[in-house]
Each structure stands twice: as structure tokens, then as C-alpha cells.
Amino acid sequence: MNRIERRFEQLRQQQRKALIPFMTAGSPHPDHTVDLMHTLVRAGADLIELGIPFSDPMADGPVIQLANEQALHHGVTPRDVLAMVSRFREQDQQTPVILMGYLNPLEVMGYATFAALAEESGVDGVITVDLPPEEAEEMLDALRPREISPIFLISPTTSPSRIETIARSASGFIYYVSMKGITGSGGLDLQGIERSLVQIRNRSPLPVGVGFGIKDGETAAAVSAFADAVVVGTALVQRLLTAWEEEESGQRLHDVVESFISQLRTAIDR
Amino acid sequence: MPVNSEQCRDLTQLPDKAGHFGPYGGMFVAETLMGPLQELRQAYEKYLQDAAFVAELDDELRQYVGRPTPLYYAKRWSETLGGAKIYLKREDLNHTGAHKVNNTVGQALLAQRLGKKRVIAETGAGQHGVATATVAARYGMECVVYMGAEDIERQKINVYRMRLLGAKVVAVTSGSRTLKDALNEAMRDWVTNIDSTFYIIGTVAGPHPYPAMVRDFQAVLGRESRQQILDQEGRLPDALIACVGGGSNAMGLFYPYLQDKEVAIYGVEAAGDGLESGRHAAPLCAGRPGVLHGNRTYLMEDENGQIIPTHSISAGLDYPGVGPEHAWLKDCGRANYVAVTDSEALAAFHALTRLEGIIPALESSHALAYAAKLAPTLSREQLLVVNLSGRGDKDIHTVAGIEGIEV
């Protein structure tokens, strides 16, 4: 059992839903990423999703694209991101960390090298946005001997037969993309999500997290009524970017994260 | 990457079911696009065999685009170079002035069959954007074209042409503000409006089935040229030459000749300021394999896998990737990929203009520049077919600017 499985098992026993905040590693500034991860946990995050910056984040909206550009501007590399996870692990051995990124930087590093370094750094799961299971064999072969879960996305356009294919390759949890669109889009179709989750649960025993379009306590609470986890990305990244633009202060970033995440936590637990 | 000859058999039978050309191609996209891409692949395979569809496409290409285009013997230019006879496939004479329209007509007819009322496109130099806006006007579809803010500045006339045709041109200000970012933005639009929208990709890149589909729509120019050279010379050419950005005009020319082993094939990339300068757009000559925009292919990237800025005098070649089929033809040794610099392309631009009265696009000028190098090394009996993929009117401001002339 890896950290992700343990965490979902704990939550199930406590009858609580997971809160998974996302931020891009190295944005607004790489000096603050590790500390912010600890703040996320203190404020109520159950798992952390950390973005590996990429020059061409095609599935992301303008906010996360900007965060990617900012991190790259600071020279953040995939190896730097792994080093951040290692530093986080020095003080936190419990909270699962999931890396989210695009394939090319990992392909260039080499799948075996990436998998070995990721395990060594204390990474628990990997989401590769542009790697559907049909193309994922090499990545899966590299991750299989490690304690790292390949996490796959399912979307409103995924057919029932594809759900089965994806469920066979997935572990950790399944990430349901709540809408057709990019990160940071608006307009949640709660009934549609609920119907899709039933379809997924009929085909996989894994917990199901829902992301895209969850932007505040109200939407987080609504989705957590039927999902096992809610992922909040753009809304957090936007707050970090805005705070940093107003004042380049680590303390400001912590305050913003603390207040936003605890607000989501309260809404989900209510 | 060296490969064995067994893997390279049957080059005309590619891609495989999953869209692979050897290790290249494939479908590297977000999950939301997988279903729609499969739907597109099925529709495309069906209509390619559908007699009514094929007849309508042929008719549109004849009556609206102006096909077939001539295969023109450039006598004065050939004699000046003092070697092989050079034939030009005159894609510049197509409606809208380039080969791009062969593909946009095909995809627009497919969009109609699928009941999509809105089309989107990415564009670099604006030629594909214009070709898409044109067919959208012709078939009564809503059209949105994504274009890098940098390119909008460089290609004002094409931007205005698109707007005259009724298209909405969206300036892309993210990343490097050029073609690759326009492609990212078009993908984002598509994923958001998947039910109503058909994405007309302009080159032989992107996820399966685009590389194969765009090649098949462009192969009309290669088939014509093959018949024309047989009619005019009684034999096949000794070599083919075409410029390669994404590589659609080149793939269209090369594909019908892949099994003609006696025909040498040259794809010409943009060396910009020179391959050694690092300021170029030549992934096949100086890049390495990676994954971008839905397919595995040769890319311009840094040691961490980030895509790096490219440079070419020609906006249409200014792209960090290349069609996956070219990547495989390179590895298999079936095609040779070379590069010419901005200044070599400019010299060829002027030579053709003065000696033949044909103003070529700067993209096509790269193919011409390599022909000018190759022809003198061959005998006067040997034959070259060069794809003159587009006309140069759109580039006149760029050329004048470089020469310090105010137009």
C-alpha cells in the first residue's frame, strides 16, 4: 500500500472527502514552493498535486499557463521539482504528493530515470496529461516496479469501453475531468458529474477525484457530496499569482493559502 | 535514430491503426480529445472510400481551387544554373496562392458531413488561416483563426484578408507568441467546444488521424506531378525537392513516389541564421525526438524537454516540430533532410523572380535554394521536380524590409 492508498483508506474510515490542491512548482517563486506545500497540509490538504512546468501546457487555461511560464523563467527543471519533493519529505512522510505534467520533459529525462528519481524523492503518483493509456506502456513499465501510481484522467467524452481500458491501467485514484475544456473554465454540471461517477464506479474500485471548475467552498462542497476527492487548481494558483504581484512576500503567500484552503476544508467537511 | 530495413518496409502502408509511423506519430492528447479523435478517424476512413465524397472533392478542387496546377519547366533558371532540368509544381497558382487550400477544402467537406458548423484553425504565415477562412466563407461556416501576436504583426495583409473573408482572428499572446502557441490555443478552443467545432489542422502534424489525413488531401499534388512528368519527359524525375516546416506540401509531393526507389527525395528545412547559430527551425537536421502537439516526432527542445524558440525568415517554416511521417522517412533513409539559410532562400527568391517571372513564397524559396545547389552537380539530362508551394506576394514587405526599402 502506498501513501495514496493509505490516505484514501484513512479518509474512508473517517467518512471524510479528500481535498487535493494543485500548484505549479516554482510559481510564484521556487524559494517558497516547499514551505507552501507544508502550509497546504496545515490548512487541510489531504494530498498535494504539484505541477512540473512545461513550455506548452496545452490542457491548461491562461492562469496555469502563466504559472508555468513564471516557473520556467526562474529556471525550474523537472529535477528541481523532484528536489522540492525530497525537501518536503524531510518533514512530512504522510501526505501523498502527485506530480502532474506533460510528457516531453519526462520522455527527455528517460522513463526509467524519472521513475527511479521520483521514487527516491518520495513521489506517490504521476499524472501525465497528454499520455492516454494507449501510449503509456513504457511509462507504466517504468512505474510498475516502484511505489508510484499512474493516475489517469476520464472526461465527459470518454466512452464506457474506454473507461474500462483506463481503469485497467490506473491506480491510486481516478481523476474525473468535470467538463469539456481546459483548467480554469467555469460552469459545473453537477448532475452530469454525478451520472459519470456512477459509470466509473461501476467499472473501477478506485476512489474518484473530480477536478476542473471547482473554484470555491460552495462548488467544492457540492462536488464532494458524491466524489471521493476534489481537486482545486486554477483558483489557488490565481490567488498566489495575484498576491505575489501585489507584494513579493512569502508571508503573503502563506496567508492566502491558509485562508483559501481552510475555507475549502470547512465547506467540504460541513 | 538508425533503424533496420525490415521496419521500413511498406512505407506507403503507414500509419498503423493507432497512427504510428515507426516510433513516431500516435495520439498524445488529453483524454477529452481521445473520443472525438476516434470519431474523426472513423469518419475520415469512411468518406475517403465514399464515391460521392470523393467526387465532390474532385469537383471542388477543379472548379474552385483551379486544379490541376501546371508542372512548369523553368528553362532559363535551369540553364543559368547549368545542370539538371528543373520542373516546378505550380501550387502558387491555386486559389488563395498556396497548396494549403487542397487540405482545407477536404477537411471542410468532412466537417460538413459531421454536421459541424464552426471551424477553427491555427496559422503561422497566415496562408493556412486564409485557406481556412476561404472555405468557411465558401461553405457558410463560422471561422475562428488563432495566430501568434508576433505573426499578426509580421503578416498584416493576411490578417486583413482573413477578416474580409469573415473570420475572427484571435491574437495569441502566450509563450513565444508564434505558430506553436497558436496551435496550443486552437487545441484549447477545440477541447472546450468539441461538440460544435471541427479543428482544421494545416499541416501533417498533430494527433492521429491528422498527419495521415492532411497527407492524403495534399497527395493530389504529388500524383498530378508524377503523371505530368511522365507525360512531358516520359520518365520519373531523378529527385524531388520540397520545403519542410510542418511538412504538408512536402508530404503531398513525396507520398506518391515513396515506392519509386530511383527517385531521390529531399526535404529542406529552415536553417535561419545557420544551424551552428542555434537560430533556426530545423528539427530534423538539428533536433531530436520528443512529444509535442499530440505526436512523437523530431523537436527543437532544450536539455530539459522544454520547447525552444525557433527562427526563420519564413513564418510558415517557423515551427519547432515536424510531421511524424517525415521523422520516419528520415530514420528509414528514404528521404534526405537538409537545411538552407535565410540568405540562401532570399537569393533563390530573387533568382526565380528575375529569371522566370515567378515570385515565390519565402517558404518555397528554401526548396528552390536547395535545387540551386543540387542542379549544377547533375547532368543536363537529369530531372528535378521542385514544389513551388506558394506565391510570394505575402512576403514582399518582409523582403523589402530586409533590403531597407520602404514600400
Side-chain angles (χ1 to χ4, degrees):
Chain A
M1 213 185 247
N2 75 6
R3 282 188 204 96
I4 299 175
E5 289 155 336
R6 275 204 300 274
R7 178 53 47 98
F8 275 105
E9 181 55 29
Q10 259 171 17
L11 288 162
R12 198 183 58 80
Q13 284 170 10
Q14 299 164 0
Q15 295 186 313
R16 290 172 64 239
K17 300 301 177 75
L19 172 60
I20 312 180
F22 165 92
M23 49 178 202
T24 302
S27 167
H29 194 285
D31 288 354
H32 300 295
T33 301
V34 175
D35 289 342
L36 287 174
M37 290 168 76
H38 291 302
T39 307
L40 288 172
V41 175
R42 275 198 301 275
D46 300 296
L47 299 85
I48 293 174
E49 194 183 322
L50 197 60
I52 304 172
F54 182 50
S55 53
D56 294 79
M58 274 180 298
D60 285 300
V63 172
I64 294 180
Q65 159 112 23
L66 194 62
N68 276 268
E69 286 175 19
Q70 200 175 37
L72 291 175
H73 176 74
H74 291 305
V76 175
T77 68
R79 281 170 198 270
D80 293 338
V81 178
L82 293 171
M84 290 174 190
V85 179
S86 286
R87 274 173 41 220
F88 174 76
R89 279 281 168 258
E90 288 167 12
Q91 288 168 52
D92 186 329
Q93 277 87 50
Q94 308 304 320
T95 309
V97 175
I98 297 149
L99 296 182
M100 178 277 192
Y102 292 79
L103 185 60
N104 200 49
L106 310 185
E107 174 146 317
V108 165
M109 190 188 278
Y111 297 124
T113 309
F114 167 71
L117 288 176
E119 185 181 56
E120 205 177 289
S121 313
V123 169
D124 305 292
V126 180
I127 302 173
T128 320
V129 185
D130 52 351
L131 186 67
E134 286 86 342
E135 301 281 1
E137 205 173 310
E138 273 185 85
M139 174 71 94
L140 291 173
D141 285 347
L143 295 181
R144 205 166 283 127
R146 315 274 172 191
E147 284 281 286
I148 302 177
S149 303
I151 292 162
F152 286 95
L153 309 182
I154 286 179
S155 87
T157 61
T158 308
S159 66
S161 72
R162 276 188 62 76
I163 294 180
E164 275 164 32
T165 310
I166 294 169
R168 273 197 296 278
S169 302
S171 71
F173 69 98
I174 284 175
Y175 187 135
Y176 181 70
V177 175
S178 71
M179 63 178 74
K180 299 167 191 166
I182 49 179
T183 55
S185 316
L188 277 178
D189 167 16
L190 289 172
Q191 285 179 335
I193 297 170
E194 193 171 6
R195 273 197 304 274
S196 299
L197 293 204
V198 172
Q199 297 239 340
I200 296 169
R201 290 212 166 93
N202 286 340
R203 291 169 177 84
S204 169
L206 293 175
V208 185
V210 174
F212 284 43
I214 297 164
K215 56 179 197 298
D216 50 24
E218 192 187 341
T219 42
V223 169
S224 70
F226 36 82
D228 301 300
V230 293
V231 185
V232 182
T234 301
L236 174 61
V237 172
Q238 178 66 70
R239 281 169 171 78
L240 290 170
L241 291 176
T242 307
W244 188 253
E245 204 173 298
E246 284 164 11
E247 187 193 345
E248 293 191 2
S249 130
Q251 193 52 50
R252 271 294 295 282
L253 297 178
H254 289 284
D255 293 347
V256 162
V257 165
E258 177 84 48
S259 117
F260 183 52
I261 296 300
S262 18
Q263 180 195 328
L264 295 175
R265 179 82 264 166
T266 313
I268 292 171
D269 289 344
R270 191 149 46 209
Chain B
M1 264 184 234
V3 292
N4 65 49
S5 55
E6 185 56 28
Q7 288 174 282
C8 296
R9 276 191 315 132
D10 299 334
L11 288 172
T12 56
Q13 301 304 309
L14 297 175
D16 68 14
K17 276 272 167 235
H20 296 119
F21 303 87
Y24 304 109
M27 299 172 91
F28 295 89
V29 294
E31 176 56 28
T32 311
L33 292 177
M34 288 301 284
L37 283 168
Q38 271 160 1
E39 203 178 287
L40 175 61
R41 179 176 59 77
Q42 284 160 3
Y44 156 68
E45 284 169 358
K46 176 180 155 201
Y47 285 112
L48 209 64
Q49 309 296 328
D50 180 282
F53 180 84
V54 173
E56 187 181 355
L57 177 60
D58 282 352
D59 195 55
E60 289 292 289
L61 291 177
R62 215 177 10 255
Q63 305 296 347
Y64 186 63
V65 174
R67 303 206 70 86
T69 59
L71 184 70
Y72 165 77
Y73 172 37
K75 188 158 182 281
R76 286 193 72 208
W77 190 45
S78 300
E79 285 174 1
T80 306
L81 292 168
K85 290 173 80 171
I86 303 174
Y87 281 84
L88 304 177
K89 182 58 176 163
R90 295 291 307 276
E91 291 300 296
D92 60 317
L93 295 177
N94 284 326
H95 178 43
T96 72
H99 71 292
K100 290 292 185 190
V101 71
N102 300 326
N103 168 53
T104 59
V105 166
Q107 290 198 46
L109 292 179
L110 212 48
Q112 271 190 335
R113 296 294 195 282
L114 291 171
K116 310 279 182 182
K117 304 241 181 294
R118 177 176 183 265
V119 295
I120 58 170
E122 83 295 339
T123 197
Q127 289 304 104
H128 174 57
V130 167
T132 304
T134 298
V135 297
R138 164 86 181 86
Y139 301 120
M141 295 161 157
E142 184 190 343
C143 178
V144 178
V145 178
Y146 291 92
M147 191 167 181
E150 196 94 344
D151 291 334
I152 285 185
E153 200 48 45
R154 290 197 276 194
Q155 302 284 342
K156 285 184 185 146
I157 291 177
N158 271 345
V159 173
Y160 185 56
R161 283 170 84 190
M162 288 184 266
R163 289 185 174 142
L164 282 173
L165 289 160
K168 183 177 163 202
V169 181
V170 180
V172 177
T173 55
S174 58
S176 63
R177 305 151 65 98
T178 59
L179 178 56
K180 79 169 174 77
D181 309 285
L183 218 151
N184 292 339
E185 213 54 45
M187 285 271 189
R188 290 172 180 140
D189 178 315
W190 196 37
V191 87
T192 308
N193 300 295
I194 203 97
D195 297 322
S196 67
T197 298
F198 190 104
Y199 181 14
I200 300 186
I201 292 187
T203 192
V204 288
H208 183 56
Y210 283 100
M213 181 168 70
V214 176
R215 173 199 71 196
D216 291 346
F217 285 138
Q218 290 295 357
V220 63
L221 77 91
R223 286 194 302 273
E224 278 177 16
S225 76
R226 198 171 178 284
Q227 190 55 52
Q228 287 165 322
I229 195 83
L230 288 172
D231 291 345
Q232 293 174 46
E233 289 282 351
R235 69 180 185 88
L236 292 176
D238 295 284
L240 309 173
I241 304 177
C243 65
V244 178
S248 69
N249 88 83
M251 219 45 246
L253 179 65
F254 299 168
Y255 187 65
Y257 295 87
L258 287 179
Q259 284 182 321
D260 301 319
K261 290 287 146 63
E262 69 274 29
V263 181
I265 297 178
Y266 295 92
V268 187
E269 295 192 303
D273 292 344
L275 291 182
E276 66 294 334
S277 72
R279 275 173 52 78
H280 59 81
L284 289 166
C285 292
R288 54 180 185 177
V291 173
L292 179 69
H293 292 152
N295 65 111
R296 179 176 286 119
T297 186
Y298 280 81
L299 297 177
M300 304 264 300
E301 58 182 7
D302 70 12
E303 69 279 9
N304 292 308
Q306 308 298 348
I307 307 308
I308 56 177
T310 51
H311 166 77
S312 169
I313 189 174
S314 142
L317 301 182
D318 212 346
Y319 178 66
V322 63
E325 192 163 10
H326 287 294
W328 188 229
L329 292 179
K330 172 191 160 76
D331 284 9
C332 284
R334 179 61 189 99
N336 307 288
Y337 292 91
V338 295
V340 305
T341 62
D342 287 353
S343 53
E344 290 170 325
L346 268 175
F349 172 93
H350 285 298
L352 199 78
T353 302
R354 295 299 288 267
L355 290 169
E356 297 289 348
I358 298 171
I359 301 178
L362 283 174
E363 289 78 10
S364 320
S365 299
H366 286 71
L368 297 167
Y370 190 71
K373 287 187 188 179
L374 188 62
T377 69
L378 304 174
S379 76
R380 285 170 188 273
E381 288 71 47
Q382 288 181 291
L383 307 174
L384 296 182
V385 170
V386 181
N387 197 3
L388 187 58
S389 55
R391 67 175 186 229
D393 311 42
K394 69 180 175 62
D395 296 316
I396 285 172
H397 281 89
T398 307
V399 174
I402 288 165
E403 289 166 3
I405 296 161
E406 198 145 334
V407 181

